Every structure is written in C-alpha cells, then in structure tokens.
Amino acid sequence: MALGVYVHLPFCPYLCPYCDFAKWPMRASAAGRYLEALYAELERHPPAAAATLFLGGGTPNAYDAATIAALVARLRERFGAFEETSIELNPELVRAGDFDAYVRAGITRISIGVQSFDPREIAILGRKHTPHDVEQVIAWGRSAGVESISLDLMFAVPGQTLSTWRQSLQRAIGLQPDHVSTYGLTVESGTPYALWQQREPQAFFDDTREADLYAAAIEMLEDAGYEHYEISNFARPGHRCRHNENYWNNGDYLGFGVGAASFRDGQRSVHTKSLDEYVEAARSGRAIPAQSERLAGDQRAGEAIMLALRTAQGVGLAEFKERYGIDVARRYAPVVSRFTELGLLERTEDRVRLTGRGRFVANDVCGAFLEVS
Ligand code: SF4
C-alpha cells in the first residue's frame, strides 16, 4: 500500500480570522529555527519509499522557492522520487520565477488558496490577494509545466449570496483548473470568527442555505466536466489528488512538523501543537511530544468506513472484508438499512456508498458507523 508524506510549514504572512490550523505569523528567525528542527526530525527518520508528498500549512510559500526546493530535495533523498508532490500556495506571495524552482525540484501539483473571486468576500475572510493574482499564478504554473493545478474555494462566507458564489465558481471554471476543492466555512471555537458569530449569529449561514451553495457547486462543476470524487473535491480525469486519496483509503502516512499527524500500521500519532515544544525537542534530538493511540477492531473499521464513504466509490465490500476481516453489510446492517431506507446510502452488490442526497449529510451518516460497537 502507498505511503504518503506530509510536511507542515506553519508560518503565514498574516493570520486569517476563521483559521484554527497550527500556524504562526511569519518571522524570519522563527522560520529559520523551525526549518532546522524539521531537518533534524527528517534526519532521524529511517528512509522509506513513499508515493506522495504534500507540503501544507500554514503557508508553505511564506518560505522562498529556493528553500522549498532544497527541502523537497532532502525529502526525495529520504523517501524516493515521489509520484506526486503537492504544495499549497498563497497566491499573492508567488513570484514570477518560483515555478521554475518548484518544477525543477519535482513539484507536480499546486493547490492555490483562492477561497473566492469576489473582492468583498476575500476581504471578509481576511485574505490579501486579488483575483488577478490567482490568474497570474495559474498562467505561471502552466507555462512552467506544473502537471496539476487545484483551486480551493470556500462557501458559506458571511455576506456571500448564491449569486456571488456562482460567479466565483464560474470564474474558477473559466480558468480551467485540473482540480477544485470546495469547503463550507466552519466557525471554530477560539477564533475571531467565533466571537463574531456570538455577536451576530445572523451573519452566518444555516444548514439549509449552506446546502444550496453546495448543490450549486456540484451542479456547476459536474456540468463543466469535473468528477465529484470526494465530498469536497472535484477533478478532471487523471487529476485526483493521490495524496488525499491515500487518506480516504485509510492508508499509511507520515507527518513531519508541528501538529502533524501520522498513521502507520494502525497507530495514529499527532505531534504537539506547541511550536516551542516541537522546535526544542526536534533540535535537541529528543522525542517529539505527541499523542498516540492504537486503533483496533471496531474503531479502526468504523474510521475506515467513515473515510471511504467520503469518496464516490464508497466502501468496497470484498476489499473491506479482506483488509479488516469484517463483513460490512452484516456487521453494520442496522445502520446501512436505516440510511438506505432514508435514501442517503445506496447498497449495490459489491459496495455501499452515499447517494447524491447523502453527500449533504455525510457527517451524520458517516458518524453513525463510528457509534456501532
Ligand atoms: S493563510 Fe491559511 S493557514 Fe494561514 S492563517 Fe490563513 S487560512 Fe490559516
């Protein structure tokens, strides 16, 4: 089974008010120390053969392109030449020559944090790029030979309407990306958005209005020839994100950096989310503080089902039996029949998957499999 490698680069030029990722404002000294820690962590990890690499953040391109290229080179020495190497990009930080360095380093896929093409919505999200920045990045990426270009879009943004969302989707489709991810805004506790929501709950979308936006995304992207291959992800043929497919397939992955998660042989661990703790431990060669748990039995099977149901192909019954020794149709019979009767799950000869309607309440349906014990 394929192994994925994730590297977390946590610095951002500014902090967005809705974000609860592990991230810190970009400071050259902190970013330099972090990189030393990351290299130290990598040195200590035994070499392995991995299929995909994903540089996420934070804002990976808060580091300059030469630094990113050197990091990818080190990762390739450790884990082999990846079949897919992705980097998340903040569009306004990309410079004209960056892609030459990226492509030479082996980066094949870029994921651009667009969120919206509506300048007012971009401002509400606290982002600083312009729609023109996005167009420019796509043009540079294409001419440098990046194999796959993905755009991240966000719906249920305060002030957004069905009409502005459709315009953003139209603008995205017009740029002919290979892949589009659409995420509904979630208000996370402890963020400035959570305070805003407390003060002004009516500024935020309820489930019904949010579902209308999601439905528009599915309709427009499918009409434009994108396969809706996972709840939040759409791809042209041959452009699915293989790194993320490995997550949904419950495959193994290694995470490097602060807050990064790993999953290997049923063991899940998550590094400390404290930047200082991570940097000090990694630089001094101590074990990085982490929380670990071993997933076994029903918990492991329930998680695997939950992940697989996110995908268009759903749960393959024979494959599941072979991997986990569990007959899903029998073990989860009450859940499967309840949601099948409600028209949210579809049971065929060889698989169980979400229906079109089921995709709108995926969390509820998937969560029910975890409750079975
Ligand atoms: S750029 Fe991304 S990671 Fe950084 S604060 Fe904004 S949303 Fe969070």
Side-chain angles (χ1 to χ4, degrees):
M1 177 155 304
L3 175 69
V5 173
Y6 173 82
V7 176
H8 194 67
L9 298 167
F11 298 101
C12 296
Y14 46 81
L15 302 185
C16 307
Y18 57 90
C19 176
D20 81 330
F21 296 150
K23 80 308 176 178
W24 286 267
M26 182 64 176
R27 304 263 181 276
S29 58
R33 275 166 50 83
Y34 182 77
L35 215 51
E36 282 171 27
L38 200 52
Y39 274 95
E41 188 193 358
L42 282 170
E43 289 320 311
R44 297 214 320 265
H45 198 282
T52 61
L53 167 64
F54 197 103
L55 304 179
T59 301
N61 66 321
Y63 285 100
D64 64 37
T67 302
I68 293 291
L71 178 60
V72 172
R74 190 70 195 100
L75 286 154
R76 286 166 70 104
E77 282 166 21
R78 212 80 188 148
F79 300 107
F82 304 96
E83 292 159 27
E84 175 192 273
T85 297
S86 305
I87 183 169
E88 289 178 339
L89 297 177
N90 178 331
E92 86 262 22
L93 297 183
V94 180
R95 299 287 162 259
D98 288 355
F99 284 110
D100 295 334
Y102 290 161
V103 171
R104 264 202 312 274
I107 288 174
T108 58
R109 185 175 181 278
I110 59 170
S111 174
I112 308 173
V114 179
Q115 318 315 346
S116 171
F117 282 95
D118 181 311
R120 219 173 49 93
E121 289 167 18
I122 296 173
I124 285 171
L125 290 169
R127 309 296 291 246
K128 309 264 193 276
H129 61 270
T130 65
H132 175 72
D133 292 332
V134 175
E135 290 166 1
Q136 181 72 83
V137 170
I138 293 173
W140 283 336
R142 288 242 182 275
S143 71
V146 171
E147 289 171 25
S148 222
I149 296 182
S150 180
L151 308 184
D152 275 4
L153 296 175
M154 190 172 274
F155 59 93
V157 176
Q160 195 174 44
T161 64
L162 185 55
S163 164
T164 61
W165 173 233
R166 291 184 79 95
Q167 283 164 25
S168 274
L169 286 162
Q170 200 50 57
R171 195 96 182 250
I173 291 165
L175 292 167
Q176 304 187 327
D178 304 294
H179 186 281
V180 178
S181 301
T182 61
Y183 300 105
L185 176 91
T186 24
V187 178
E188 306 288 354
S189 61
T191 61
Y193 260 41
L195 294 175
W196 182 13
Q197 191 184 41
Q198 268 173 20
R199 283 195 317 271
E200 218 185 324
Q202 71 282 6
F204 291 81
F205 278 69
D206 60 31
D207 290 351
T208 312
R209 287 172 62 227
E210 183 170 337
D212 290 343
L213 302 181
Y214 182 48
I218 296 171
E219 175 211 308
M220 289 179 70
L221 289 163
E222 286 189 338
D223 282 355
Y226 291 86
E227 180 202 8
H228 188 192
Y229 73 104
E230 193 267 346
I231 304 275
S232 306
N233 288 284
F234 301 80
R236 287 179 160 176
H239 287 278
R240 291 177 175 196
C241 176
R242 294 188 49 197
H243 183 81
N244 286 340
E245 279 197 300
N246 183 49
Y247 290 137
W248 303 318
N249 192 28
N250 209 22
D252 286 358
Y253 51 89
L254 301 171
F256 294 94
V258 63
S262 299
F263 183 67
R264 220 145 184 206
D265 304 325
Q267 176 91 15
R268 181 166 54 201
S269 64
V270 183
H271 283 165
T272 173
K273 292 187 167 55
S274 156
L275 184 62
D276 289 342
E277 239 178 40
Y278 169 78
V279 169
E280 274 156 33
R283 279 168 41 122
S284 61
R286 278 185 280 117
I288 293 158
Q291 287 194 334
S292 298
E293 61 176 334
R294 173 158 287 284
L295 301 183
D298 282 335
Q299 199 190 7
R300 188 161 183 200
E303 293 228 352
I305 293 174
M306 196 172 79
L307 289 166
L309 278 178
R310 296 187 60 90
T311 65
Q313 63 266 29
V315 180
L317 300 177
E319 188 203 331
F320 204 88
K321 179 104 198 263
E322 196 184 317
R323 259 178 95 180
Y324 304 100
I326 286 177
D327 181 338
V328 173
R330 283 181 58 184
R331 178 78 184 81
Y332 296 89
V335 181
V336 173
S337 60
R338 173 156 53 105
F339 287 116
T340 307
E341 279 160 27
L342 289 170
L344 303 174
L345 274 183
E346 168 182 67
R347 162 87 205 272
T348 65
E349 186 75 2
D350 60 346
R351 48 189 63 245
V352 174
R353 63 181 152 224
L354 290 173
T355 60
R357 282 210 298 123
R359 289 186 291 199
F360 286 78
V361 285
N363 287 345
D364 296 336
V365 179
C366 295
F369 284 87
L370 272 186
E371 284 158 20
V372 174
S373 60

